[in-house]
Amino acid sequence: NKSIEFRDIDKVFKGDGIETYALKKINLLLNEGDFVSIIGPSGSGKSTLLSIIGTLDVPSSGEILYGDKTVHQMSNNEIADFRFENIGFIFQQFHLIPTMTALENVMSPLFGRKVTYNKKERAIQVLEQVGLKDKMNSLPSQLSGGQQQRVAIARALVHKPKWLLADEPTGNLDTDTGETVYELLTSLNKSKQCGVILVTHDSILADRANTKVEMRDGEIVSVCQRQPV
Ligand code: ADP
Ligand code: ADP
């Protein structure tokens, strides 16, 4: 069982004597392999929730279970290993390293890691999957926005994570390019390569997920499960 379960998660940011409750008593069960969207207005806690799912941030209280493990009790090294095995991230800004080629960017998560596969072959394989094998020697500046996001997706997938976490991945792209990127996420999910957790404020995209989580003011206001077609 590789589900992710949030139990009574709070996240409080403290500064200048002010407390902001970014998340309030979040309870949520995400099933392995699901395609989940998280939607809500700006400031509703979507990015905070995604950061905590991805172990980039820690809750102020409550418990998260990954299968039967809690990250709570792990050391920083164990968390880094856990993230490597389980989590790939993509963002609205693609965050590619400008001095590295597409191939080097995709290989970068593997630097210093022991893996059972050939790193370069694996990186080329994922680049091929996102349709950019022929651009592997290009620098990010030589690629369009949609191509850069696809390189970022390849980089997020190169280490075979169980979940791909995407924070407004189409927010910087025009509608058609965004659609291509969204369809890529859908096909990765359908072919059972990874679960997807998509943060968006686009209700049309959010409605296409299998599970739609709606947030407001740090709380989950609804969870909708769509019947598979
Ligand atoms: P969303 O992604 O839905 O726009 P966020 O998760 O970014 O929402 O933010 C939720 C709330 O938490 C907001 O009020 C935001 O200002 C606050 N917040 C988020 N990150 C921090 C931080 N690092 N320090 C202080 N407040 C934060
Ligand atoms: P987006 O919604 O595009 O992800 P956000 O505005 O939610 O962007 O946040 C971007 C980053 O800034 C996040 O890492 C978040 O934690 C941080 N952040 C958001 N609000 C605040 C805040 N009030 N104070 C400090 N950091 C914040």
Side-chain angles (χ1 to χ4, degrees), residues 7-220:
R7 291 186 182 164
D8 284 335
I9 295 294
D10 281 335
K11 179 66 181 181
V12 192
F13 291 106
K14 294 187 180 130
D16 299 333
I18 304 165
E19 288 192 347
T20 307
Y21 270 79
L23 297 176
K24 300 171 200 163
K25 292 275 169 286
I26 297 289
N27 287 286
L28 183 63
L29 177 66
L30 303 172
N31 292 310
E32 181 175 14
D34 202 1
F35 194 117
V36 181
S37 62
I38 303 174
I39 184 160
S42 187
S44 58
K46 305 182 299 296
S47 296
T48 303
L49 183 64
L50 199 70
S51 300
I52 293 178
I53 293 171
T55 72
L56 295 178
D57 204 346
V58 290
S60 307
S61 63
E63 191 176 50
I64 306 174
L65 291 169
Y66 293 87
D68 47 14
K69 267 191 238 167
T70 91
V71 209
H72 246 75
Q73 297 125 341
M74 294 187 203
S75 67
N76 283 344
N77 273 342
E78 285 170 324
I79 289 177
D81 288 347
F82 172 86
R83 199 183 300 144
F84 184 76
E85 282 165 29
N86 292 283
I87 307 289
F89 254 107
I90 59 169
F91 304 93
Q92 180 171 351
Q93 312 292 342
F94 321 119
H95 293 308
L96 298 175
I97 298 169
T99 53
M100 287 187 178
T101 64
L103 180 63
E104 289 164 345
N105 267 288
V106 173
M107 287 179 73
S108 62
L110 305 176
F111 296 161
R113 289 274 167 187
K114 273 213 174 74
V115 291
T116 54
Y117 44 86
N118 180 289
K119 292 178 183 178
K120 189 170 175 183
E121 279 172 17
R122 171 66 187 159
I124 293 172
Q125 184 188 26
V126 274
L127 272 168
E128 187 163 26
Q129 220 183 354
V130 301
L132 287 176
K133 189 182 173 189
D134 59 331
K135 299 284 184 193
M136 68 179 176
N137 293 318
S138 301
L139 292 170
S141 58
Q142 298 168 313
L143 301 173
S144 70
Q147 289 172 332
Q148 290 184 56
Q149 190 61 295
R150 284 189 280 148
V151 172
I153 291 171
R155 178 180 59 182
L157 292 176
V158 73
H159 49 93
K160 308 182 182 182
K162 298 209 167 48
W163 290 96
L164 179 61
L165 309 192
D167 198 345
E168 297 277 7
T170 60
N172 240 348
L173 304 172
D174 65 66
T175 308
D176 285 352
T177 312
E179 178 61 26
T180 313
V181 165
Y182 189 90
E183 278 170 11
L184 177 59
L185 299 181
T186 306
S187 78
L188 292 166
N189 182 253
K190 284 213 169 114
S191 63
K192 300 199 186 303
Q193 285 203 56
C194 55
V196 175
I197 303 176
L198 171 80
V199 162
T200 181
H201 57 248
D202 182 334
S203 62
I204 295 171
L205 289 185
D207 284 345
R208 287 158 66 182
N210 297 324
T211 303
K212 181 174 79 166
V213 176
E214 197 179 341
M215 297 190 70
R216 200 166 296 263
D217 299 332
E219 294 180 285
I220 292 177

